[in-house]
Amino acid sequence: MKIRSLVVLLALASSFANAGGDAARAGAEKSAVCAACHGADFNTPVSADIPLLAGQYPDYLARALIDYKSGARKNPVMNGQTTALSAQDIGDISAYIGGLRGKLKSIPLQRFLSSN
Ligand code: HEC
């Protein structure tokens, strides 16, 4: 494993361990700029092509942000939004947004299969 990935993972692990505590508080400040598009509660995005984030799994959010930052996931807006984020920032932001209440929910597999 590359050293950089290890550093990112360690920072994330410590952030998640603090979820709801320091990381979430720091994440609230660091994600203020993100609210311009994703909505102040991260549950009311300003347009239909911007995803809901509140209540998403923190590790999913972190993965998305890491991939935008590295360019593995391509989106001109989000690639730009993530260039300046450190591993600590990503962990804090993911802990904060993941801890918010939101409309995201999983559909029970059986219901999904029977409707498709
Ligand atoms: C200018 C508007 C804008 C801003 C500001 C913005 N985003 Fe986004 N965000 C988007 C759009 C549009 C997408 C969908 C991109 C795609 O299709 O991959 C997105 C996607 C995401 C995703 C992926 C969600 C998923 O379900 O896969 C995450 C996570 C995310 N943004 C977090 C953030 C964070 C954290 C910030 C602040 C650092 C931020 N965004 C700032 C517009 C924005």
Side-chain angles (χ1 to χ4, degrees):
M1 177 183 288
K2 286 196 207 130
I3 296 288
R4 238 174 77 191
S5 325
L6 188 62
V7 170
V8 170
L9 284 177
L10 288 175
L12 290 175
S14 74
S15 293
F16 295 159
N18 279 323
D22 298 346
R25 256 192 306 280
E29 283 172 30
K30 292 175 180 177
S31 63
V33 58
C34 321
C37 292
H38 290 280
D41 58 359
F42 289 91
N43 201 33
T44 47
V46 296
S47 73
D49 61 338
I50 301 179
L52 298 172
L53 299 179
Q56 180 57 275
Y57 295 111
D59 56 353
Y60 176 94
L61 295 169
R63 179 82 250 174
L65 295 172
I66 289 167
D67 287 348
Y68 283 130
K69 184 176 165 68
S70 75
R73 181 169 172 181
K74 296 189 193 330
N75 176 264
V77 173
M78 285 308 302
N79 292 142
Q81 288 294 320
T82 48
T83 43
L85 297 181
S86 68
Q88 182 72 50
D89 296 339
I90 289 175
D92 292 348
I93 290 171
S94 301
Y96 170 65
I97 297 177
L100 298 173
R101 277 179 180 273
K103 287 183 277 203
L104 290 174
K105 54 179 182 282
S106 55
I107 303 171
L109 184 59
Q110 208 50 50
R111 184 141 46 97
F112 174 78
L113 292 175
S114 58
S115 66
N116 283 280

